[in-house]
C-alpha cells in the first residue's frame, strides 16, 4: 500500500506536456531533422575527414562537387531515414525525463532518458551517417563502384550496436545543457533579461557549452559506425582504438595544444545544435499560438 501511494505521488509530480507541444514534437520533429540533414551530415563527415577545412566540409555535405539534381540528393542523403524516428523522439523524451527525474537524481534521469533516446534513434542515425559517408566515397575521383566501395548499412530500426554506448553518453551530455545547466543560468540572468528571452538565451548558451563534451563523443560514435573494423573488436580494444583516433583528430602533431580539427568539429557541432534549438523553439511557439484555434475547428477541444 505504501509503495502504491509513493507511485501515485511520483506520477502526480509529472507534468505531461500540453497537446500543442505534443503536436510540435510530432510534426516539428521530422521537419527540423529533415531540413537540417546537410548540417547533420557535415557532423558525420568530421570523423572520417582529417584534411577538409570548415568551408570544405560544408561544401562536401551540401553536394557542391556534384551537378544538377545530384547536388540536392547528396545534401539530403539520409533525410528520409532519420525523419520517422524524430516523431517518438521529440514527443516521448520530454515526459520521460520528467518521469525519471521525479523518481531519482537528475544525472541518473539524464542517463535513463539518453538510453531511451538511443534505443529509438540508434538505427536511423547510424544509417544516416553511413549513407552520408558512402555518398562522399562515391564522389571520390578514385572510386570504383562495386562490393566493398562503402560501409554496410544498419537497419533503421536497429536499437543497439557498435558505438551505442557512446551515443548514450553524447545524448546525456547534450540534454544536460537544457536540463541541468540552463536553470541556474536563468536565475543568474534574471536581473538582466525578461522572461522569454531569458529562457531562450539560457537554453541556447547551455546547449553550446555542453558541445565541448558532446563533440568528441559524437565524433567517436560516427567514426565507429562508419569504420567496420571496429565493429568486431572487443570493448577494451575498441576504446583503445578510439583513444588513438581522438589523439590523431584533436591533438596537435607536436603534442602541444589542440589541432585545428578540434575547432572545426566544435564549430560544426555548435552550428547544428543552435539550428535545432532555434528551429524547434520557433515551431513550439507557433504551435502554442495556433493549436487552440485548430482544435476548435476540428472539434478536439
Amino acid at each position: 500500500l505504501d509503495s502504491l501511494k509513493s507511485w501515485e505521488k511520483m506520477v502526480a509530480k509529472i507534468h505531461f506536456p500540453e497537446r500543442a507541444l505534443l503536436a510540435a514534437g510530432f510534426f516539428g520533429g521530422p521537419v527540423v531533422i529533415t531540413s537540417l540533414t546537410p548540417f547533420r551530415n557535415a557532423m558525420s563527415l568530421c570523423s572520417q575527414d582529417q584534411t577538409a577545412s570548415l568551408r570544405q566540409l560544408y561544401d562536401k555535405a551540401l553536394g557542391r562537387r556534384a551537378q544538377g539534381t545530384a547536388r540536392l540528393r547528396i545534401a539530403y542523403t539520409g533525410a528520409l531515414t532519420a525523419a520517422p524516428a524524430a516523431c517518438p523522439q521529440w514527443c516521448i523524451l520530454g515526459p520521460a525525463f520528467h518521469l525519471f527525474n521525479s523518481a531519482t537524481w537528475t544525472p541518473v534521469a539524464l542517463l535513463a532518458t539518453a538510453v531511451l533516446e538511443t534505443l529509438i534513434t540508434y538505427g536511423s542515425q547510424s544509417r544516416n551517417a553511413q549513407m552520408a559517408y558512402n555518398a562522399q566515397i562515391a564522389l571520390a575521383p578514385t572510386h570504383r563502384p562495386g562490393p566493398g566501395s562503402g560501409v554496410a548499412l544498419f537497419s533503421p530500426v536497429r536499437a543497439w550496436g557498435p558505438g551505442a554506448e557512446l551515443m548514450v553518453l553524447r545524448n546525456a551530455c547534450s540534454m544536460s545543457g537544457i536540463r541541468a545547466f540552463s536553470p541556474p543560468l536563468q536565475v543568474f540572468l534574471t536581473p538582466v533579461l525578461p522572461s522569454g528571452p531569458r529562457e531562450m538565451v539560457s537554453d541556447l548558451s547551455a546547449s553550446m557549452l555542453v558541445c565541448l563534451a558532446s563533440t568528441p563523443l559524437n565524433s567517436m560514435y560516427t567514426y565507429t559506425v562508419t569504420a567496420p573494423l571496429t565493429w568486431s573488436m572487443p570493448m577494451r580494444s575498441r576504446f583503445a582504438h578510439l583513444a588513438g583516433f581522438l589523439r590523431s583528430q584533436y591533438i596537435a602533431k607536436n603534442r602541444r595544444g589542440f589541432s585545428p580539427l578540434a575547432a572545426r568539429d566544435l564549430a560544426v557541432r555548435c552550428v547544428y545544435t543552435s539550428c535545432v534549438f532555434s528551429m524547434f523553439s520557433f515551431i513550439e511557439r507557433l504551435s502554442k499560438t495556433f493549436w487552440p484555434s485548430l482544435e476548435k475547428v476540428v472539434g478536439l477541444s
Side-chain angles (χ1 to χ4, degrees), residues 179-220:
R179 302 300 186 187
F181 296 110
S182 179
L185 187 57
Q186 292 177 31
V187 174
F188 177 77
L189 292 175
T190 298
V192 182
L193 293 173
S195 179
R198 180 172 66 245
E199 288 79 9
M200 178 176 292
V201 170
S202 298
D203 286 350
L204 185 58
S205 300
S207 296
M208 301 279 276
L209 177 65
V210 297
C211 284
L212 292 169
S214 67
T215 295
L217 290 169
N218 184 69
S219 293
M220 287 191 289

mmCIF file of all heavy atoms in Angstrom, residues 179-220:
data_model
loop_
_atom_site.group_PDB
_atom_site.id
_atom_site.type_symbol
_atom_site.label_atom_id
_atom_site.label_comp_id
_atom_site.label_asym_id
_atom_site.label_seq_id
_atom_site.Cartn_x
_atom_site.Cartn_y
_atom_site.Cartn_z
ATOM 1 N N ARG A 179 18.592 20.667 -19.371
ATOM 2 C CA ARG A 179 18.008 20.094 -18.154
ATOM 3 C C ARG A 179 18.773 20.437 -16.888
ATOM 4 O O ARG A 179 18.181 20.573 -15.814
ATOM 5 C CB ARG A 179 17.933 18.567 -18.295
ATOM 6 C CG ARG A 179 17.140 18.072 -19.488
ATOM 7 C CD ARG A 179 15.708 18.536 -19.446
ATOM 8 N NE ARG A 179 14.918 17.943 -20.537
ATOM 9 C CZ ARG A 179 13.682 18.288 -20.807
ATOM 10 N NH1 ARG A 179 13.075 19.227 -20.102
ATOM 11 N NH2 ARG A 179 13.024 17.712 -21.806
ATOM 12 N N ALA A 180 20.103 20.569 -16.962
ATOM 13 C CA ALA A 180 20.904 20.765 -15.754
ATOM 14 C C ALA A 180 21.556 22.140 -15.663
ATOM 15 O O ALA A 180 21.595 22.746 -14.586
ATOM 16 C CB ALA A 180 21.985 19.673 -15.668
ATOM 17 N N PHE A 181 22.075 22.655 -16.792
ATOM 18 C CA PHE A 181 22.846 23.898 -16.739
ATOM 19 C C PHE A 181 22.025 25.149 -17.036
ATOM 20 O O PHE A 181 22.360 26.240 -16.582
ATOM 21 C CB PHE A 181 24.034 23.818 -17.709
ATOM 22 C CG PHE A 181 25.027 22.755 -17.357
ATOM 23 C CD1 PHE A 181 25.164 21.617 -18.129
ATOM 24 C CD2 PHE A 181 25.817 22.871 -16.227
ATOM 25 C CE1 PHE A 181 26.060 20.626 -17.794
ATOM 26 C CE2 PHE A 181 26.726 21.892 -15.874
ATOM 27 C CZ PHE A 181 26.851 20.758 -16.671
ATOM 28 N N SER A 182 20.961 24.985 -17.802
ATOM 29 C CA SER A 182 20.143 26.149 -18.141
ATOM 30 C C SER A 182 19.410 26.755 -16.939
ATOM 31 O O SER A 182 19.384 27.993 -16.801
ATOM 32 C CB SER A 182 19.143 25.797 -19.239
ATOM 33 O OG SER A 182 18.323 26.901 -19.557
ATOM 34 N N PRO A 183 18.792 25.950 -16.057
ATOM 35 C CA PRO A 183 18.059 26.551 -14.921
ATOM 36 C C PRO A 183 18.884 27.491 -14.057
ATOM 37 O O PRO A 183 18.441 28.622 -13.780
ATOM 38 C CB PRO A 183 17.572 25.324 -14.136
ATOM 39 C CG PRO A 183 17.416 24.271 -15.182
ATOM 40 C CD PRO A 183 18.558 24.491 -16.131
ATOM 41 N N PRO A 184 20.104 27.107 -13.608
ATOM 42 C CA PRO A 184 20.878 28.075 -12.822
ATOM 43 C C PRO A 184 21.303 29.303 -13.631
ATOM 44 O O PRO A 184 21.434 30.405 -13.078
ATOM 45 C CB PRO A 184 22.102 27.271 -12.355
ATOM 46 C CG PRO A 184 22.170 26.082 -13.234
ATOM 47 C CD PRO A 184 20.773 25.781 -13.643
ATOM 48 N N LEU A 185 21.503 29.123 -14.926
ATOM 49 C CA LEU A 185 21.854 30.258 -15.782
ATOM 50 C C LEU A 185 20.683 31.221 -15.894
ATOM 51 O O LEU A 185 20.861 32.447 -15.931
ATOM 52 C CB LEU A 185 22.270 29.749 -17.166
ATOM 53 C CG LEU A 185 22.821 30.786 -18.146
ATOM 54 C CD1 LEU A 185 24.025 31.512 -17.557
ATOM 55 C CD2 LEU A 185 23.203 30.113 -19.464
ATOM 56 N N GLN A 186 19.464 30.683 -15.918
ATOM 57 C CA GLN A 186 18.275 31.533 -15.941
ATOM 58 C C GLN A 186 18.177 32.376 -14.679
ATOM 59 O O GLN A 186 17.809 33.554 -14.730
ATOM 60 C CB GLN A 186 17.023 30.665 -16.106
ATOM 61 C CG GLN A 186 16.893 29.991 -17.459
ATOM 62 C CD GLN A 186 15.685 29.081 -17.539
ATOM 63 O OE1 GLN A 186 14.669 29.331 -16.908
ATOM 64 N NE2 GLN A 186 15.788 28.003 -18.308
ATOM 65 N N VAL A 187 18.498 31.777 -13.551
ATOM 66 C CA VAL A 187 18.493 32.516 -12.282
ATOM 67 C C VAL A 187 19.521 33.639 -12.329
ATOM 68 O O VAL A 187 19.257 34.775 -11.909
ATOM 69 C CB VAL A 187 18.781 31.561 -11.101
ATOM 70 C CG1 VAL A 187 18.918 32.356 -9.805
ATOM 71 C CG2 VAL A 187 17.671 30.521 -10.969
ATOM 72 N N PHE A 188 20.685 33.334 -12.863
ATOM 73 C CA PHE A 188 21.752 34.325 -12.946
ATOM 74 C C PHE A 188 21.358 35.496 -13.849
ATOM 75 O O PHE A 188 21.713 36.657 -13.577
ATOM 76 C CB PHE A 188 23.025 33.648 -13.480
ATOM 77 C CG PHE A 188 24.185 34.596 -13.673
ATOM 78 C CD1 PHE A 188 24.930 35.051 -12.597
ATOM 79 C CD2 PHE A 188 24.521 35.035 -14.947
ATOM 80 C CE1 PHE A 188 25.996 35.924 -12.780
ATOM 81 C CE2 PHE A 188 25.584 35.898 -15.146
ATOM 82 C CZ PHE A 188 26.316 36.351 -14.047
ATOM 83 N N LEU A 189 20.600 35.211 -14.932
ATOM 84 C CA LEU A 189 20.233 36.245 -15.909
ATOM 85 C C LEU A 189 18.933 36.967 -15.562
ATOM 86 O O LEU A 189 18.526 37.874 -16.290
ATOM 87 C CB LEU A 189 20.098 35.617 -17.298
ATOM 88 C CG LEU A 189 21.384 35.096 -17.943
ATOM 89 C CD1 LEU A 189 21.075 34.404 -19.263
ATOM 90 C CD2 LEU A 189 22.386 36.222 -18.160
ATOM 91 N N THR A 190 18.298 36.596 -14.449
ATOM 92 C CA THR A 190 17.017 37.213 -14.082
ATOM 93 C C THR A 190 17.087 38.743 -13.984
ATOM 94 O O THR A 190 16.190 39.439 -14.462
ATOM 95 C CB THR A 190 16.500 36.625 -12.755
ATOM 96 O OG1 THR A 190 16.269 35.224 -12.936
ATOM 97 C CG2 THR A 190 15.197 37.290 -12.331
ATOM 98 N N PRO A 191 18.135 39.319 -13.382
ATOM 99 C CA PRO A 191 18.188 40.792 -13.310
ATOM 100 C C PRO A 191 18.441 41.466 -14.656
ATOM 101 O O PRO A 191 18.263 42.676 -14.781
ATOM 102 C CB PRO A 191 19.359 41.058 -12.352
ATOM 103 C CG PRO A 191 19.630 39.769 -11.668
ATOM 104 C CD PRO A 191 19.261 38.707 -12.642
ATOM 105 N N VAL A 192 18.861 40.683 -15.638
ATOM 106 C CA VAL A 192 19.297 41.261 -16.906
ATOM 107 C C VAL A 192 18.249 41.133 -18.011
ATOM 108 O O VAL A 192 18.017 42.078 -18.774
ATOM 109 C CB VAL A 192 20.617 40.596 -17.375
ATOM 110 C CG1 VAL A 192 21.104 41.235 -18.669
ATOM 111 C CG2 VAL A 192 21.667 40.695 -16.287
ATOM 112 N N LEU A 193 17.596 39.965 -18.078
ATOM 113 C CA LEU A 193 16.679 39.694 -19.185
ATOM 114 C C LEU A 193 15.279 39.355 -18.670
ATOM 115 O O LEU A 193 15.141 38.725 -17.615
ATOM 116 C CB LEU A 193 17.189 38.520 -20.036
ATOM 117 C CG LEU A 193 18.485 38.745 -20.822
ATOM 118 C CD1 LEU A 193 18.943 37.445 -21.463
ATOM 119 C CD2 LEU A 193 18.283 39.809 -21.896
ATOM 120 N N PRO A 194 14.235 39.740 -19.406
ATOM 121 C CA PRO A 194 12.866 39.369 -19.017
ATOM 122 C C PRO A 194 12.583 37.911 -19.351
ATOM 123 O O PRO A 194 13.314 37.281 -20.123
ATOM 124 C CB PRO A 194 12.002 40.312 -19.863
ATOM 125 C CG PRO A 194 12.830 40.560 -21.082
ATOM 126 C CD PRO A 194 14.252 40.593 -20.615
ATOM 127 N N SER A 195 11.512 37.393 -18.788
ATOM 128 C CA SER A 195 11.105 36.025 -19.081
ATOM 129 C C SER A 195 10.790 35.893 -20.565
ATOM 130 O O SER A 195 10.219 36.782 -21.184
ATOM 131 C CB SER A 195 9.868 35.657 -18.256
ATOM 132 O OG SER A 195 9.446 34.346 -18.540
ATOM 133 N N GLY A 196 11.166 34.785 -21.141
ATOM 134 C CA GLY A 196 11.025 34.563 -22.583
ATOM 135 C C GLY A 196 12.399 34.607 -23.205
ATOM 136 O O GLY A 196 12.995 33.544 -23.460
ATOM 137 N N PRO A 197 12.937 35.820 -23.439
ATOM 138 C CA PRO A 197 14.312 35.892 -23.926
ATOM 139 C C PRO A 197 15.313 35.256 -22.958
ATOM 140 O O PRO A 197 16.303 34.672 -23.386
ATOM 141 C CB PRO A 197 14.552 37.400 -24.049
ATOM 142 C CG PRO A 197 13.204 37.987 -24.253
ATOM 143 C CD PRO A 197 12.274 37.141 -23.439
ATOM 144 N N ARG A 198 15.040 35.360 -21.650
ATOM 145 C CA ARG A 198 15.954 34.783 -20.662
ATOM 146 C C ARG A 198 16.060 33.267 -20.829
ATOM 147 O O ARG A 198 17.162 32.712 -20.839
ATOM 148 C CB ARG A 198 15.489 35.119 -19.252
ATOM 149 C CG ARG A 198 16.401 34.556 -18.170
ATOM 150 C CD ARG A 198 16.032 35.064 -16.790
ATOM 151 N NE ARG A 198 14.730 34.590 -16.355
ATOM 152 C CZ ARG A 198 13.678 35.378 -16.141
ATOM 153 N NH1 ARG A 198 13.772 36.677 -16.345
ATOM 154 N NH2 ARG A 198 12.519 34.879 -15.747
ATOM 155 N N GLU A 199 14.919 32.594 -20.968
ATOM 156 C CA GLU A 199 14.940 31.146 -21.128
ATOM 157 C C GLU A 199 15.610 30.742 -22.444
ATOM 158 O O GLU A 199 16.374 29.765 -22.490
ATOM 159 C CB GLU A 199 13.509 30.586 -21.084
ATOM 160 C CG GLU A 199 12.862 30.594 -19.712
ATOM 161 C CD GLU A 199 12.331 31.958 -19.315
ATOM 162 O OE1 GLU A 199 12.311 32.871 -20.181
ATOM 163 O OE2 GLU A 199 11.932 32.133 -18.145
ATOM 164 N N MET A 200 15.337 31.506 -23.495
ATOM 165 C CA MET A 200 15.916 31.173 -24.796
ATOM 166 C C MET A 200 17.435 31.330 -24.779
ATOM 167 O O MET A 200 18.169 30.442 -25.234
ATOM 168 C CB MET A 200 15.312 32.061 -25.888
ATOM 169 C CG MET A 200 15.896 31.803 -27.269
ATOM 170 S SD MET A 200 15.100 32.775 -28.567
ATOM 171 C CE MET A 200 13.478 32.037 -28.591
ATOM 172 N N VAL A 201 17.907 32.444 -24.237
ATOM 173 C CA VAL A 201 19.352 32.681 -24.169
ATOM 174 C C VAL A 201 20.028 31.633 -23.285
ATOM 175 O O VAL A 201 21.103 31.113 -23.619
ATOM 176 C CB VAL A 201 19.644 34.105 -23.646
ATOM 177 C CG1 VAL A 201 21.127 34.276 -23.339
ATOM 178 C CG2 VAL A 201 19.190 35.141 -24.664
ATOM 179 N N SER A 202 19.386 31.292 -22.182
ATOM 180 C CA SER A 202 19.965 30.314 -21.261
ATOM 181 C C SER A 202 20.040 28.934 -21.899
ATOM 182 O O SER A 202 21.065 28.247 -21.814
ATOM 183 C CB SER A 202 19.140 30.245 -19.975
ATOM 184 O OG SER A 202 19.137 31.490 -19.308
ATOM 185 N N ASP A 203 18.948 28.523 -22.543
ATOM 186 C CA ASP A 203 18.929 27.202 -23.194
ATOM 187 C C ASP A 203 19.973 27.119 -24.295
ATOM 188 O O ASP A 203 20.710 26.126 -24.407
ATOM 189 C CB ASP A 203 17.544 26.915 -23.774
ATOM 190 C CG ASP A 203 16.521 26.572 -22.705
ATOM 191 O OD1 ASP A 203 16.924 26.366 -21.541
ATOM 192 O OD2 ASP A 203 15.318 26.532 -23.026
ATOM 193 N N LEU A 204 20.047 28.164 -25.116
ATOM 194 C CA LEU A 204 20.983 28.160 -26.232
ATOM 195 C C LEU A 204 22.429 28.192 -25.729
ATOM 196 O O LEU A 204 23.284 27.449 -26.216
ATOM 197 C CB LEU A 204 20.705 29.351 -27.150
ATOM 198 C CG LEU A 204 21.529 29.429 -28.437
ATOM 199 C CD1 LEU A 204 21.339 28.175 -29.276
ATOM 200 C CD2 LEU A 204 21.142 30.663 -29.241
ATOM 201 N N SER A 205 22.706 29.038 -24.743
ATOM 202 C CA SER A 205 24.064 29.140 -24.202
ATOM 203 C C SER A 205 24.499 27.838 -23.556
ATOM 204 O O SER A 205 25.636 27.373 -23.744
ATOM 205 C CB SER A 205 24.141 30.283 -23.183
ATOM 206 O OG SER A 205 23.806 31.513 -23.775
ATOM 207 N N ALA A 206 23.603 27.236 -22.774
ATOM 208 C CA ALA A 206 23.938 25.976 -22.110
ATOM 209 C C ALA A 206 24.148 24.860 -23.125
ATOM 210 O O ALA A 206 25.055 24.028 -22.975
ATOM 211 C CB ALA A 206 22.825 25.598 -21.128
ATOM 212 N N SER A 207 23.333 24.847 -24.178
ATOM 213 C CA SER A 207 23.477 23.815 -25.214
ATOM 214 C C SER A 207 24.808 23.953 -25.943
ATOM 215 O O SER A 207 25.456 22.953 -26.276
ATOM 216 C CB SER A 207 22.320 23.911 -26.214
ATOM 217 O OG SER A 207 21.092 23.644 -25.582
ATOM 218 N N MET A 208 25.217 25.191 -26.196
ATOM 219 C CA MET A 208 26.503 25.417 -26.847
ATOM 220 C C MET A 208 27.654 25.029 -25.934
ATOM 221 O O MET A 208 28.671 24.474 -26.371
ATOM 222 C CB MET A 208 26.630 26.895 -27.241
ATOM 223 C CG MET A 208 25.541 27.385 -28.170
ATOM 224 S SD MET A 208 25.815 26.975 -29.888
ATOM 225 C CE MET A 208 26.883 28.312 -30.371
ATOM 226 N N LEU A 209 27.494 25.283 -24.632
ATOM 227 C CA LEU A 209 28.553 24.976 -23.675
ATOM 228 C C LEU A 209 28.839 23.482 -23.623
ATOM 229 O O LEU A 209 30.003 23.060 -23.628
ATOM 230 C CB LEU A 209 28.159 25.491 -22.285
ATOM 231 C CG LEU A 209 29.139 25.179 -21.140
ATOM 232 C CD1 LEU A 209 30.471 25.883 -21.367
ATOM 233 C CD2 LEU A 209 28.538 25.605 -19.801
ATOM 234 N N VAL A 210 27.782 22.666 -23.581
ATOM 235 C CA VAL A 210 27.998 21.222 -23.455
ATOM 236 C C VAL A 210 28.532 20.615 -24.750
ATOM 237 O O VAL A 210 28.940 19.448 -24.744
ATOM 238 C CB VAL A 210 26.702 20.502 -23.018
ATOM 239 C CG1 VAL A 210 26.265 20.974 -21.654
ATOM 240 C CG2 VAL A 210 25.590 20.680 -24.043
ATOM 241 N N CYS A 211 28.565 21.393 -25.824
ATOM 242 C CA CYS A 211 29.184 20.898 -27.058
ATOM 243 C C CYS A 211 30.662 20.599 -26.857
ATOM 244 O O CYS A 211 31.244 19.791 -27.593
ATOM 245 C CB CYS A 211 29.013 21.910 -28.194
ATOM 246 S SG CYS A 211 27.354 21.938 -28.910
ATOM 247 N N LEU A 212 31.280 21.240 -25.870
ATOM 248 C CA LEU A 212 32.689 20.962 -25.577
ATOM 249 C C LEU A 212 32.902 19.497 -25.224
ATOM 250 O O LEU A 212 33.942 18.909 -25.532
ATOM 251 C CB LEU A 212 33.174 21.844 -24.412
ATOM 252 C CG LEU A 212 33.277 23.342 -24.703
ATOM 253 C CD1 LEU A 212 33.510 24.113 -23.412
ATOM 254 C CD2 LEU A 212 34.409 23.608 -25.698
ATOM 255 N N ALA A 213 31.902 18.889 -24.594
ATOM 256 C CA ALA A 213 31.992 17.471 -24.237
ATOM 257 C C ALA A 213 31.312 16.572 -25.262
ATOM 258 O O ALA A 213 31.781 15.465 -25.531
ATOM 259 C CB ALA A 213 31.380 17.240 -22.851
ATOM 260 N N SER A 214 30.196 17.035 -25.835
ATOM 261 C CA SER A 214 29.455 16.172 -26.755
ATOM 262 C C SER A 214 30.136 16.031 -28.116
ATOM 263 O O SER A 214 29.918 15.042 -28.820
ATOM 264 C CB SER A 214 28.027 16.699 -26.950
ATOM 265 O OG SER A 214 28.016 17.938 -27.627
ATOM 266 N N THR A 215 30.981 16.997 -28.486
ATOM 267 C CA THR A 215 31.646 16.928 -29.793
ATOM 268 C C THR A 215 32.556 15.710 -29.915
ATOM 269 O O THR A 215 32.434 14.944 -30.878
ATOM 270 C CB THR A 215 32.425 18.223 -30.083
ATOM 271 O OG1 THR A 215 31.510 19.314 -30.191
ATOM 272 C CG2 THR A 215 33.213 18.118 -31.378
ATOM 273 N N PRO A 216 33.513 15.487 -28.992
ATOM 274 C CA PRO A 216 34.347 14.278 -29.131
ATOM 275 C C PRO A 216 33.544 12.988 -29.010
ATOM 276 O O PRO A 216 33.864 11.992 -29.673
ATOM 277 C CB PRO A 216 35.381 14.419 -28.003
ATOM 278 C CG PRO A 216 34.812 15.399 -27.053
ATOM 279 C CD PRO A 216 33.968 16.318 -27.871
ATOM 280 N N LEU A 217 32.492 12.996 -28.188
ATOM 281 C CA LEU A 217 31.653 11.802 -28.070
ATOM 282 C C LEU A 217 30.937 11.511 -29.388
ATOM 283 O O LEU A 217 30.856 10.355 -29.827
ATOM 284 C CB LEU A 217 30.627 11.990 -26.948
ATOM 285 C CG LEU A 217 31.185 12.009 -25.522
ATOM 286 C CD1 LEU A 217 30.112 12.458 -24.532
ATOM 287 C CD2 LEU A 217 31.718 10.628 -25.140
ATOM 288 N N ASN A 218 30.441 12.563 -30.023
ATOM 289 C CA ASN A 218 29.774 12.381 -31.316
ATOM 290 C C ASN A 218 30.757 11.924 -32.382
ATOM 291 O O ASN A 218 30.423 11.082 -33.224
ATOM 292 C CB ASN A 218 29.114 13.692 -31.753
ATOM 293 C CG ASN A 218 28.317 13.538 -33.033
ATOM 294 O OD1 ASN A 218 27.285 12.883 -33.067
ATOM 295 N ND2 ASN A 218 28.819 14.128 -34.108
ATOM 296 N N SER A 219 31.974 12.460 -32.347
ATOM 297 C CA SER A 219 32.995 12.049 -33.322
ATOM 298 C C SER A 219 33.340 10.572 -33.169
ATOM 299 O O SER A 219 33.472 9.847 -34.166
ATOM 300 C CB SER A 219 34.258 12.904 -33.156
ATOM 301 O OG SER A 219 34.014 14.239 -33.518
ATOM 302 N N MET A 220 33.488 10.112 -31.923
ATOM 303 C CA MET A 220 33.788 8.694 -31.699
ATOM 304 C C MET A 220 32.639 7.799 -32.140
ATOM 305 O O MET A 220 32.859 6.723 -32.697
ATOM 306 C CB MET A 220 34.118 8.458 -30.220
ATOM 307 C CG MET A 220 35.472 8.978 -29.793
ATOM 308 S SD MET A 220 35.953 8.399 -28.142
ATOM 309 C CE MET A 220 34.810 9.335 -27.116
#
